[in-house]
Amino acid sequence: MTVYLDYNATSPLCDAARDAVYAVVDGDAGNPSSLHLPGQRARRHLDAARRRVATALGGSPGEVTFTSGASEANHLGLRGHAHYLQRAGSVRDDGAPPVALISALEHPSMVAASDCLSALGWRVVELSVGSDGRIRPETVTAALERDQVSLIALLAVNNELGVCQPIAQIAALTRARGVTLLCDATQALGRITVNVKAWGVDLLTLSGHKIGGLAGSGALWVRAGVGCDPLFAGHQEQGLRAGTENVAGAVALGAACTALEGRLADGDRIRDLRDRLWQGIGALLPNALRNGSEEAAHETGQTLNVSFAGVEAATLVMALDLEGIAVSAGAACSSGTLEPARAVLAIGDGSAAWLGRARSAVRFSFGPGNSDADVERVLAVLPALVERCHAR
Ligand SMILES: Cc1ncc(COP(=O)(O)O)c(C=O)c1O
């Protein structure tokens, strides 16, 4: 049996989603754009899923667009809204390039979307992060005072560190200045309560497979009245996303959203497992260093990011894998090697020592399927593996 501690990478399909998917794929649902009965059946499945996603977020169904995942939703939200602002003449009119802020903690998909904005003539400015892993509202205020900003992208919970950002506080700042706030809530759903109204964000993105839905499904929520242009023209999804809808993916996402309450209710137990693993590591391996402060990552409970001095993270990940323990480290790059995680680099001081620390950072991420036995198993094998990897 694998000890699965990589829930931030993907979460197994939950029962509610599995049942919902079977009902769609085993049935005779057609294309939701078709006029006949099977098509209308598919349309009803899609509409019900949209209502479920909207309810989970505290928004309205008409504000939800299904996508192929959070990566696409991030591209659609950031680039689509930026395009809309330019088309509507709602960016600065002094001839200088429009400005977008993105946090130093964003997922690579948001970074890639912001690179596209740069190519369109936007100036993209990175928001720095504290050593605890938090973006300070004062940092946002200073950036808003320095530049005439149109748009900010800020993720709610970072996938590497599990640190929760003060989204509602920052949204109050952006609202007061008429600046759009796009929030990537992919790692927040099911870990903390997400409510678009309470948070006051303008656009929000999420992914199906991080909450027990299917990979290849996700959504973009756009507050009514906020403009967003499609990346590819088409008639589906109220003209915002081209292509026949992935009904099974949407239905699984909707079902996973209805199961979020249960996931949240399990949050204290999961946090307890995570904290016990950290206490155990601290006792057995005094040189281990936690990345992102304990306090800042307390709220979300699912993530533990630890550097094991002198150990190449990829080597330790593989050694753990041979013991049947699945964890992760850094980001795979095209050469097949691992790059240190951007977020771990972002909270450091830029020194060579910090680079070494980032290279030795391993992420343990917990979810509903974990138990005490998983923590015990990791603690039973980790010290010897760290020692062996260190000796290489
Ligand atoms: C914070 C965050 N945003 C976006 C994504 C991308 O999600 P998807 O796999 O659905 O494209 C991930 C996936 O790891 C993530 O953790």
Side-chain angles (χ1 to χ4, degrees), residues 8 69-71 74 107 109 155 159 184 186-187 207 209-210:
N8 288 10
S71 298
N74 284 341
H107 184 263
S109 59
L155 90 181
N159 43 305
D184 177 347
T186 302
Q187 298 287 352
S207 169
H209 70 117
K210 310 290 179 174

Side-chain angles (χ1 to χ4, degrees), residues 124-214:
V124 177
V125 179
E126 191 174 276
L127 271 177
S128 63
V129 54
S131 58
D132 60 354
R134 277 217 179 97
I135 308 278
R136 303 265 173 283
E138 308 84 82
T139 308
V140 177
T141 304
L144 293 176
E145 281 167 2
R146 210 169 32 239
D147 274 314
Q148 213 176 309
V149 177
S150 298
L151 169 59
I152 303 188
L154 175 57
L155 90 181
V157 174
N158 176 262
N159 43 305
E160 299 294 340
L161 305 170
V163 169
C164 198
Q165 303 303 327
I167 295 293
Q169 261 176 286
I170 292 174
L173 299 173
T174 56
R175 277 210 141 166
R177 290 171 170 80
V179 175
T180 308
L181 179 58
L182 162 59
C183 175
D184 177 347
T186 302
Q187 298 287 352
L189 275 176
R191 282 77 169 186
I192 55 172
T193 302
V194 175
N195 186 292
V196 287
K197 292 209 180 82
W199 281 6
V201 297
D202 301 297
L203 300 100
L204 183 135
T205 59
L206 59 111
S207 169
H209 70 117
K210 310 290 179 174
I211 57 169
L214 290 170

Side-chain angles (χ1 to χ4, degrees), residues 66-77:
F66 288 116
T67 63
S68 64
S71 298
E72 185 193 336
N74 284 341
H75 275 268
L76 180 56

